[in-house]
Amino acid sequence: MFDIAVILINYNSSQHTINCVQSILEKTSKSVFYQIIITDNCSEIADYLYLKSYLDEANIPNLELHRSEINTGFGGGNEIGISFAKATYLAILNNDTLLKNDCLSILKNKLDTDTTIGIAGAQAFKENGDFLISLDHFASPIREIFGRKFLEISNPKKYPNRKKRYTKPVKVNFIPGSFMFVRTTDFEKAGGFDTSIFLYYEETDLCIRLANISKFAYLIPEAEFTHFHGASTEKSLAIKKELKISLLYIIRKHYGYWAHKLVLAFLLFKYFFSSIIKSKNWPLFVLLINGANLSKSLKNKQKKVLI
């Protein structure tokens, strides 16, 4: 049984994956017994073979590479890796991250001594060393309509300032999916990732379900990492659509039918008028007027790629 299973997804970004693995090996204490599990989420064949060749030659102990024949998205890709985990804790990292210090030991020690911490995140920094927001508030009708600042002013205890630099652990709604540290037992009890979601809001959904069993999210600023934000996800109209699809799914799942209709109406109003000024927003309005259902998700457009 390992202390920690580090879970990574590679998707057409093998050099980032290699750099991430190297930082784990370099920064993690020898006293921590960990495994690294990488899921290649149906990358282009050349990218996968480059990664496989490097890992075969490096011959890193307790490292596994598994390839999915179809892109299963963030939750699905991580679930593939987690299915091979044999550890007390799961460290779910984006592959476009680099550890700045011994994050795994720091987070393990915190969860070892505080059972109320259900899931923990580290403090992120940009490539140039600038501070990067590392906590957020649950997606909700109030957040979507009135904004995050309204929540922070109206209830600062429940909604801590996202832009503040913290020096001590702070309880938050959720921590970003770029770095999540959780007990395997808590993750399983909460139900793991909802693989109906292809991309975005997976961490929101997971943290809501963990909070429902009194396992709360904390930012542990002592642990630090660099995040090459968005390096493995190309910005596009399809990605913007996926954001709306996942958001509305989460709202319906956790807040109910009428909350879903309220947020949908707000977004329709917003994108109707914004598309008059910016024509590129028109496809988003069309998606929303048709309900932005999961049937329109990128998940349903993936094709198998065999080697």
Side-chain angles (χ1 to χ4, degrees):
M1 188 76 167
F2 293 92
D3 295 325
I4 302 167
V6 182
I7 310 297
L8 301 174
I9 295 176
N10 181 71
Y11 180 67
N12 293 326
S13 51
S14 57
Q15 191 58 58
H16 277 293
T17 302
I18 291 167
N19 294 342
C20 181
V21 168
Q22 290 173 339
S23 81
I24 294 167
L25 298 173
E26 178 185 343
K27 298 296 184 180
T28 304
S29 169
K30 302 300 182 185
S31 65
V32 178
F33 188 41
Y34 65 94
Q35 59 182 150
I36 300 174
I37 305 169
I38 304 170
T39 300
D40 181 81
N41 221 355
C42 199
S43 300
E44 296 291 335
I45 293 173
D47 186 82
Y48 166 69
L49 292 178
Y50 177 77
L51 176 61
K52 186 177 185 302
S53 176
Y54 169 83
L55 295 175
D56 287 345
E57 185 174 341
N59 194 28
I60 299 166
N62 303 319
L63 185 147
E64 303 175 27
L65 173 63
H66 303 276
R67 177 172 168 84
S68 175
E69 295 177 349
I70 192 168
N71 184 350
T72 57
F74 180 86
N78 278 306
E79 284 287 355
I80 291 171
I82 291 166
S83 71
F84 294 97
K86 301 177 181 67
T88 304
Y89 293 104
L90 302 172
I92 302 163
L93 276 67
N94 275 22
N95 72 325
D96 56 351
T97 60
L98 299 174
L99 305 191
K100 290 173 67 69
N101 59 11
D102 189 3
C103 293
L104 299 184
S105 295
I106 293 168
L107 296 177
K108 176 183 178 297
N109 291 339
K110 289 295 183 185
L111 270 73
D112 278 346
T113 57
D114 190 342
T115 57
T116 65
I117 300 178
I119 187 166
Q123 176 58 57
F125 295 87
K126 297 179 183 178
E127 182 182 358
N128 63 3
D130 288 349
F131 167 83
L132 190 60
I133 291 172
S134 302
L135 64 95
D136 209 342
H137 317 314
F138 291 140
S140 66
I142 294 176
R143 193 192 86 169
E144 296 312 309
I145 294 171
F146 295 102
R148 293 175 172 89
K149 194 64 178 178
F150 173 82
L151 293 174
E152 292 173 5
I153 292 172
S154 63
N155 192 341
K157 185 176 180 179
K158 185 176 181 180
Y159 304 106
N161 187 342
R162 297 164 60 246
K163 297 180 181 180
K164 180 180 175 181
R165 283 288 300 272
Y166 294 93
T167 57
K168 296 181 180 180
V170 57
K171 184 179 178 182
V172 301
N173 280 192
F174 77 92
I175 41 96
S178 54
F179 198 139
M180 298 182 285
F181 194 93
V182 60
R183 293 178 193 85
T184 303
T185 52
D186 290 339
F187 180 83
E188 292 173 347
K189 187 176 180 180
F193 287 113
D194 182 345
T195 55
S196 295
I197 306 169
F198 183 73
L199 198 61
Y200 299 114
Y201 293 97
E202 300 92 345
E203 67 270 68
T204 301
D205 174 65
L206 176 61
C207 288
I208 289 174
R209 287 184 282 113
L210 283 165
N212 288 340
I213 58 172
S214 299
K215 296 291 184 176
F216 303 105
Y218 279 77
L219 170 65
I220 311 298
E222 181 186 352
E224 299 180 348
F225 73 106
T226 299
H227 186 200
F228 297 82
H229 198 58
S232 59
T233 306
E234 183 180 350
K235 293 181 179 179
S236 66
L237 176 61
I239 291 300
K240 291 178 181 178
K241 287 182 177 180
E242 200 68 25
L243 273 164
K244 299 298 180 287
I245 291 168
S246 297
L247 168 64
L248 287 165
Y249 173 77
I250 288 298
I251 296 293
R252 178 69 178 87
K253 178 178 179 179
H254 293 290
Y255 299 93
Y257 175 84
W258 290 112
H260 172 269
K261 293 302 180 186
L262 176 63
V263 173
L264 178 59
F266 170 76
L267 292 174
L268 280 167
F269 178 84
K270 175 182 176 179
Y271 281 96
F272 174 75
F273 286 102
S274 70
S275 64
I276 295 173
I277 301 170
K278 297 180 180 179
S279 59
K280 65 180 181 180
N281 285 341
W282 184 252
L284 291 172
F285 174 74
V286 172
L287 172 76
L288 291 163
I289 205 168
N290 285 296
N293 299 313
L294 283 178
S295 61
K296 302 297 182 182
S297 170
L298 290 170
K299 180 178 181 179
N300 300 310
K301 299 178 182 179
Q302 304 307 310
K303 296 180 180 180
K304 284 189 175 183
V305 178
L306 303 177
I307 295 181

